[in-house]
Amino acid sequence: MRYLKVFWHHDLPDEPVELYSELDDAGYEIRKVEIYRDGHRDFADGEASSGATMLGEIPIPSLEEIAEQEEFSPAFIEFAEFENVWRQAVSGSGSS
């Protein structure tokens, strides 16, 4: 498993600004959290989701490919950081 955090730099009020993904070895999302400017969090996994958040249907591009797009700042993170964000999203804490 790999864990990815992407900051999305934009001015769109209804789109997330932070994206967290748990990826399998082929690059498919297993779990995902989206954090919005106002602090609320939506999530998705293979069984449940909140808001408009859905797992991607194709593998996530490489870190280098994501970084080529100037509006994105990607980085791999540790499991513990992802798990903390996931638990907050699923429990509803951090929501407005």
Side-chain angles (χ1 to χ4, degrees):
M1 297 286 183
R2 293 175 294 152
Y3 302 91
L4 178 66
K5 172 168 72 173
V6 179
F7 288 105
W8 184 10
H9 310 285
H10 62 77
D11 295 323
L12 306 169
D14 297 327
E15 295 293 335
V17 294
E18 291 180 53
L19 311 166
Y20 291 81
S21 298
E22 177 180 52
L23 307 173
D24 68 12
D25 292 337
Y28 286 93
E29 290 179 321
I30 304 295
R31 297 186 290 170
K32 178 183 206 171
V33 175
E34 297 179 331
I35 302 177
Y36 293 79
R37 199 174 308 281
D38 68 1
H40 89 267
R41 300 161 187 250
D42 286 326
F43 69 91
D45 65 13
E47 299 176 8
S49 66
S50 65
T53 300
M54 298 183 301
L55 297 179
E57 296 182 4
I58 60 173
I60 296 296
S62 71
L63 196 70
E64 295 77 18
E65 289 176 275
I66 296 169
E68 287 176 1
Q69 300 178 55
E70 64 183 39
E71 68 268 26
F72 297 118
S73 297
F76 286 117
I77 59 173
E78 298 294 324
F79 167 77
E81 182 177 349
F82 178 86
E83 193 64 22
N84 183 49
V85 169
W86 175 258
R87 287 183 182 154
Q88 289 175 9
V90 171
S91 71
S93 64
S95 298
S96 294

